[in-house]
Amino acid sequence: MNGRHQAIGIKQVIRLDWMQRTANLLLAGVDAKAIRMELHEALNRETDGQRSAQTRAFAVNNLMTIWCSADAELGPFRAAVLEMLRQDPKSGLALHWAMISAAYPFWFNIARQTGRLLALQDQVTQAQIVARLKENYGDRQTVSRYARFVIRSFVDWGVLQDAPVKGCYEQSGPIAFDDRGLALLLYESALLASPEGKASLARLANEPAFFAFKLPLLSGGLLSESRARLDVVHGALDDQMLVRKPG
């Protein structure tokens, strides 16, 4: 397990439009140093200078880690996400979800616990989500504090909404799409968010971390033909496994 899988890391609400702004700068060929400067200036303008320098720095550092990290595991995946974003900007929310899940498995794991709870009940609370997270991250105050930033990000992205009862959240409704290439990138993000780098197709098809989406069904044959970074192998009882290729 590397540091990416152990880290909590998200120290501010990450707004969807900030994710898009960063991706747009990359697609325009702007270098990392200039992107960092542009993000600082943009966040300062949007908040009329009310956001503290430290808070802006946290948000910018998160965005730079997601989109400009030198992590070798993320490079080819990020390139694929950016190319699809260039071709189909309307799929932005799902693509940003895939990218942030891969870069910050903490986001993915909060989404997973949120999805599990929403499968059992109509509303969830931060306390319920954090209680489940502590099984993986331990009983640290930072887990609760940083989980709140992720949950509020879910609200900003429109996949959760505030319930009438304070402190409760409801699902806004899953986003349906038919693009199998987009679904496959979400599958790949789940593998990148997992230290094992593999999962059964059945598990991925029902992954609670994708509670915000209604994904098309993917066959093992289609998967094996469509991604150089992934393999489909047969596991126990002829279960098909999707596995990240080394390198």
Side-chain angles (χ1 to χ4, degrees):
M1 180 181 292
N2 66 26
R4 181 164 55 83
H5 294 102
Q6 294 173 317
I8 295 176
I10 296 180
K11 299 182 178 180
Q12 282 299 313
V13 172
I14 304 299
R15 284 174 39 182
L16 183 59
D17 61 324
W18 296 347
M19 290 283 289
Q20 186 64 51
R21 181 189 296 272
T22 311
N24 287 344
L25 290 168
L26 274 174
L27 288 170
V30 180
D31 64 57
K33 183 177 180 180
I35 289 174
R36 183 180 291 275
M37 291 178 60
E38 168 61 25
L39 290 174
H40 273 289
E41 292 172 0
L43 268 61
N44 190 44
R45 289 194 303 269
E46 290 174 12
T47 57
D48 296 324
Q50 295 178 9
R51 186 178 291 266
S52 72
Q54 183 183 53
T55 300
R56 286 199 307 276
F58 285 153
V60 171
N61 286 341
N62 286 151
L63 292 165
M64 295 298 293
T65 296
I66 294 163
W67 287 110
C68 302
S69 166
D71 190 322
E73 284 190 323
L74 297 181
F77 177 72
R78 181 188 297 116
V81 170
L82 283 169
E83 181 56 31
M84 183 168 283
L85 192 58
R86 184 196 304 275
Q87 296 176 7
D88 184 15
K90 292 181 180 179
S91 297
L93 192 151
L95 290 167
H96 290 304
W97 192 276
M99 193 65 236
I100 197 170
S101 294
Y104 281 107
F106 185 62
W107 174 289
F108 181 85
N109 288 325
I110 292 176
R112 171 178 281 172
Q113 300 306 337
T114 302
R116 285 174 175 169
L117 287 164
L118 287 171
L120 301 172
Q121 56 200 52
D122 294 332
Q123 297 182 355
V124 298
T125 67
Q126 178 181 326
Q128 291 172 330
I129 296 168
V130 168
R132 292 185 170 215
L133 284 173
K134 288 179 178 179
E135 297 175 9
N136 299 107
Y137 293 97
D139 190 4
R140 293 180 279 171
Q141 288 186 345
T142 50
V143 172
S144 178
R145 183 164 69 251
Y146 294 169
R148 178 179 178 276
F149 295 138
V150 175
I151 295 166
R152 294 310 303 176
S153 298
F154 291 172
V155 175
D156 177 83
W157 290 36
V159 301
L160 287 184
Q161 58 187 4
D162 292 304
V165 178
K166 186 177 181 180
C168 292
Y169 302 92
E170 300 172 338
Q171 186 171 354
S172 299
I175 301 167
F177 57 84
D178 298 322
D179 189 326
R180 287 175 169 80
L182 177 55
L184 187 51
L185 283 173
L186 282 165
Y187 278 23
E188 188 174 355
S189 76
L191 302 188
L192 285 162
S194 166
E196 295 80 19
K198 61 183 179 181
S200 71
L201 291 182
R203 175 178 170 180
L204 289 167
N206 296 285
E207 173 54 61
F210 302 144
F211 73 89
F213 309 103
K214 185 176 180 181
L215 279 60
L217 293 176
L218 300 181
S219 68
L222 173 67
L223 294 176
S224 62
E225 294 173 0
S226 48
R227 277 289 178 267
R229 299 183 301 279
L230 305 173
D231 267 333
V232 178
V233 299
H234 290 282
L237 302 176
D238 206 32
D239 191 15
Q240 290 184 308
M241 302 286 295
L242 192 62
V243 181
R244 288 187 60 246
K245 291 181 180 179

